[in-house]
Amino acid sequence: MNFTRWSARLPGTQRRAAARTDHTITPDRLPDRPGEGTVSGSGSGSGPGSVPAARAEQLAGGAPCLPAVDDLPTRQVLDRIPALVAIVHGPDHRIAYTNDAYTAAFGVRAEGVPARDVAPELDELGVLPLLDQVRRSSKSRTLKSRKAHSGRSYTITCTPVEATATPEGSGGVLIFAADVTDHAEAAERLRASERSQRETAVTLQRSLLPQELEEPDDLRVAATYHPGGTEAAVGGDWYDVITLGGGRTALVIGDVMGRGVRAAAVMGQLRTAVRAYARLDLPPHEVLQLLDGLAMEIDANQIATCVYAVHDPNEGKLVYASAGHLPILVRDESGVVQRADEPTGPPLGTGGWMHASGSIPLTPGSTAVLYTDGLVERRNEDLDEGIAALERALSGATGSPQVVCDRLVRSAGVTADHDDDVAVLVLQHPARTGPDSDLFRNAALELLGGIEAAPRARAFASGVLTSWRFPTELHDVGVLAASELVANSLQHGTPPMRLRLRRTDRRLIVEVTDGDDHLPLRRTAEPGDESGRGIAIVATIATSWGSRRTPGGGKAVWCEFVLPNSARTT
C-alpha cells in the first residue's frame, strides 16, 4: 500500500503547518540582529533581512534548511512510535496500517481486511463501536485503561483522518493506544488498599455495635446500620439499648464526626462509656456531661453528636438530652408525628457547655425513631426537608419495629452506594389488650409515715401479689422485699413516700420512693446492730437491686425478681 496518500488532519493542523512553512529558515529569510555586524540577504551591508556575517557565511556555505513537519516521512515516524498505532478506513474499518509496536503486541494484521475479522483485540478492548462513533461525529473519542487479553492495559484514542485519492466517505480512523499498565496496576493497588482499609473499618464498626439488642419488658426495639457505599469511608455511627432495672430503659444513638478506622475506634470508646455511665442511673443531661469530658480526653480534635434517652413505663414519656444531634420523632397511636426539638446542646468534645434534659410523650401505641444524619441529609436539600420527609414516612409506617425500620430506610432512598453511614433505632410502646394486658400490671400505695406505715405496706403487698396469683415462694419474698424497702425509707427518708409494685411478663418489680436524695449503700451490720441489714437482705433475696435520684428531688430504691415460667402465663 502506498502510505504517502494518508495524512492525519487534526483540528488546527493546517494552520500550524502553514505557519511553520512560512517560517522555514532559509538564507534569504533570516531575522535581523540589531547591534551586530550584518550583511544583507542580497549582499548589502544592512537593512531588513540582514543577518550576522558569520551566520551568513555559514548559510552561504550550503548548510541545509530545517524541514517543515509536512516534509517528514510519515510512515517512518509512525513505525518508530513506542505506542500502538493502527489506521483503518472505510465503513467496515479495513486495516490500512499497523506500526511495529502494534505488531509486537498483537501480531501481524493483514491490510485491506475488515478489523472485525482480523483484529479481535479491537473488539475485546471495545474499540469497534468507538470507530463508528468517530466516523459519524468526526470527533475524537477516548477509552481509558482498557485491559487486553494479554494483561496489558491501554488508553485508546480514536481520531478521524482524511484519505486522499479514495472515494468520498471512505475516510479513516487513526487508533492510538498508549500502554498504561504500570499506572493501571498502581491504581488497582491503591484501590485494593483502600478497600482493605474500608473493610477493616467496617469490621471494626460492626464489631463495636451491639450484636444483639437488649430486650426491655415494656418496649419492642429494632435497629439497622448501613455503612456508606464502596467509595465512602465508614463513619462512626452507633446505637445501643440498655436496660437500667426497675423497668426503665436507656436508648442512645450517636455519630462521630469523620471517617475511617479512627472514627470507628472513637465510637467504640464512647459507646462503652455510655454503658458504664448508664449503670449509674443518672439523668440524661448528666450522662452527656460525663461523655463530653471523656470525648475531649479521647481526642481534642474529635467531636460527636449524641442523643441519650430514658423510658420509664410508669411515666409514659421519654426523658432525653441531645448533644447536637437530630431530633427524636414520635408517632402516636393515631399517626400524628411529634418532633422533639428542644433542648439541644453542643456536640460532645466541645467542652465547657451545660446540657439540659427534656421530655416527649411515649404512651402505649406510640413509636419513636432515633437516627443519624445519613438518613435525612442530602447534598442538594435542606436538612429540615429531609426531616420533614422522614416525618411523613413515619406517619404512615406501621408494623413491627423492624418493619418500620426497613420502611424508613427505603423511603429515604438508602442504597448500597449511599454516600454516608446510616443508623436507625426504632422503639415501640405496645398498647396491650386482652390476656396480654394481664401480664403487665401496676399497683401503688401512698405511705403517710408513722409506725402503722410498715404493716400497711406489708398487707398491701401481700394482697396485690395474691391477686396476681404468684406462687407462694415468690409471694413471700416479694412481701419481704417491700417490707424492708419501706422500713429503710421510713428510717432514712422523708415524705412523700410511695410503694409501687409492678409486674411484667418476665419479672416482678418492687420500688419505694421518698423525698430524701441520699442513696442507700449496702453495708455489713455488726452482730450487735439493731439496723443496717435491710438493703443486705434485699440484695440477697432479689435478682437485682438499685437506686437512683428522681428528677424532682428525692430517690427511688428498687429490686427485681425474675418470674418462674409458671408465673409468666398466669
Side-chain angles (χ1 to χ4, degrees):
M1 171 182 178
N2 183 7
F3 185 74
T4 57
R5 57 192 181 127
W6 289 89
S7 176
R9 300 300 184 190
L10 301 178
T13 299
Q14 295 91 338
R15 294 192 299 274
R16 292 193 296 270
R20 288 192 294 268
T21 302
D22 291 343
H23 290 81
T24 301
I25 302 176
T26 59
D28 60 343
R29 297 187 62 185
L30 293 173
D32 292 343
R33 297 288 298 274
E36 299 181 6
T38 61
V39 295
S40 171
S42 60
S44 60
S46 63
S50 60
V51 298
R55 295 180 59 203
E57 291 174 0
Q58 180 183 8
L59 291 174
C65 300
L66 296 178
V69 172
D70 286 347
D71 296 331
L72 295 175
T74 308
R75 184 169 188 126
Q76 293 182 19
V77 172
L78 295 180
D79 282 342
R80 296 179 181 179
I81 291 178
L84 282 61
V85 178
I87 298 177
V88 299
H89 71 89
D92 54 355
H93 311 304
R94 295 178 179 273
I95 298 294
Y97 166 77
T98 56
N99 71 346
D100 294 342
Y102 191 101
T103 301
F106 298 116
V108 177
R109 296 294 178 253
E111 297 181 357
V113 182
R116 188 178 300 277
D117 298 332
V118 296
E121 66 277 358
L122 296 182
D123 188 23
E124 176 189 358
L125 295 169
V127 176
L128 292 180
L130 200 67
L131 298 177
D132 295 326
Q133 296 179 25
V134 171
R135 280 181 52 82
R136 287 193 301 267
S137 64
S138 297
K139 295 181 179 179
S140 298
R141 296 286 188 270
T142 298
L143 296 174
K144 293 185 177 180
S145 192
R146 295 298 181 94
K147 180 174 286 189
H149 183 70
S150 62
R152 308 297 294 178
S153 296
Y154 301 93
T155 291
I156 305 163
T157 299
C158 296
T159 303
V161 295
E162 296 178 1
T164 58
T166 59
E168 185 177 355
S170 62
V173 178
L174 183 144
I175 303 168
F176 185 93
D179 191 326
V180 294
T181 304
D182 292 343
H183 296 284
E185 290 177 350
E188 180 57 33
R189 288 193 296 270
L190 178 61
R191 287 191 294 268
S193 175
E194 292 174 347
R195 285 194 299 268
S196 177
Q197 292 181 13
R198 183 178 183 278
E199 290 171 0
T200 300
V202 170
T203 301
L204 176 62
Q205 173 87 341
R206 290 194 180 279
S207 67
L208 295 175
L209 290 173
Q211 304 304 303
E212 292 184 5
L213 294 177
E214 296 185 20
E215 298 181 2
D217 293 357
D218 294 272
L219 298 177
R220 298 294 177 264
V221 296
T224 186
Y225 170 73
H226 294 268
T230 55
E231 298 301 322
V234 68
D237 296 15
W238 94 92
Y239 55 82
D240 209 347
V241 178
I242 309 165
T243 53
L244 301 177
R248 302 165 71 247
T249 306
L251 306 118
V252 59
I253 195 164
D255 184 3
V256 177
M257 301 296 103
R259 297 182 180 276
V261 174
R262 179 59 182 168
V266 172
M267 176 275 290
Q269 295 177 77
L270 290 178
R271 176 176 173 259
T272 301
V274 169
R275 295 192 68 86
Y277 295 148
R279 300 305 178 190
L280 301 176
D281 219 340
L282 300 171
H285 66 277
E286 293 188 22
V287 172
L288 291 190
Q289 290 296 139
L290 294 173
L291 284 176
D292 183 38
L294 178 65
M296 294 187 65
E297 293 180 9
I298 293 174
D299 189 341
N301 298 317
Q302 194 86 50
I303 63 173
T305 64
C306 179
V307 166
Y308 181 84
V310 175
H311 174 256
D312 189 334
N314 297 319
E315 298 178 358
K317 63 183 179 181
L318 273 179
V319 179
Y320 68 91
S322 174
H325 203 79
L326 300 173
I328 301 172
L329 302 181
V330 176
R331 176 188 182 274
D332 64 19
E333 197 170 12
S334 63
V336 177
V337 178
Q338 183 178 353
R339 182 188 303 189
D341 282 328
E342 298 293 342
T344 300
L348 305 177
T350 54
W353 296 87
M354 295 297 294
H355 293 84
S357 294
S359 65
I360 186 170
L362 189 69
T363 55
S366 298
T367 300
V369 179
L370 291 75
Y371 52 96
T372 57
D373 57 3
L375 187 66
V376 296
E377 191 173 33
R378 300 295 180 269
R379 297 182 184 277
N380 300 323
E381 295 181 5
D382 186 78
L383 183 59
D384 284 335
E385 295 178 5
I387 298 176
L390 182 62
E391 289 179 344
R392 292 190 295 270
L394 178 60
S395 65
T398 57
S400 67
Q402 189 60 59
V403 170
V404 173
C405 208
D406 295 339
R407 288 182 177 178
L408 295 181
V409 170
R410 286 197 302 269
S411 69
V414 177
T415 59
D417 58 351
H418 196 62
D419 61 357
D420 195 6
D421 289 22
V422 174
V424 183
L425 177 62
V426 175
L427 58 135
Q428 291 179 344
H429 188 186
R432 296 180 173 89
T433 58
D436 191 35
S437 63
D438 294 335
L439 302 178
F440 293 83
R441 293 186 177 184
N442 283 283
L445 173 67
E446 299 293 335
L447 301 173
L448 301 179
I451 58 174
E452 73 281 359
R456 286 180 57 243
R458 287 194 295 271
F460 173 78
S462 178
V464 169
L465 298 180
T466 299
S467 69
W468 289 350
R469 294 182 291 180
F470 281 163
T472 302
E473 181 181 355
L474 183 59
H475 171 279
D476 293 344
V477 294
V479 172
L480 177 58
S483 176
E484 293 297 337
L485 291 181
V486 169
N488 183 78
S489 181
L490 290 172
Q491 183 173 357
H492 301 289
T494 59
M497 303 179 185
R498 170 182 287 187
L499 167 64
R500 184 189 299 274
L501 301 177
R502 176 173 173 77
R503 74 153 292 168
T504 69
D505 60 343
R506 304 175 195 172
R507 71 196 79 233
L508 166 66
I509 302 168
V510 181
E511 182 180 81
V512 175
T513 59
D514 63 56
D516 185 84
D517 61 2
H518 182 269
L519 300 180
L521 296 175
R522 181 180 179 180
R523 64 186 180 88
T524 302
E526 297 297 330
D529 292 344
E530 296 182 359
S531 63
R533 296 179 177 85
I535 296 299
I537 293 173
V538 170
T540 301
I541 64 176
T543 305
S544 60
W545 78 282
S547 62
R548 70 180 187 280
R549 292 185 174 87
T550 53
K555 67 176 178 296
V557 186
W558 55 268
C559 66
E560 294 181 348
F561 299 87
V562 175
L563 300 184
N565 292 333
S566 59
R568 298 187 184 190
T569 57
T570 56

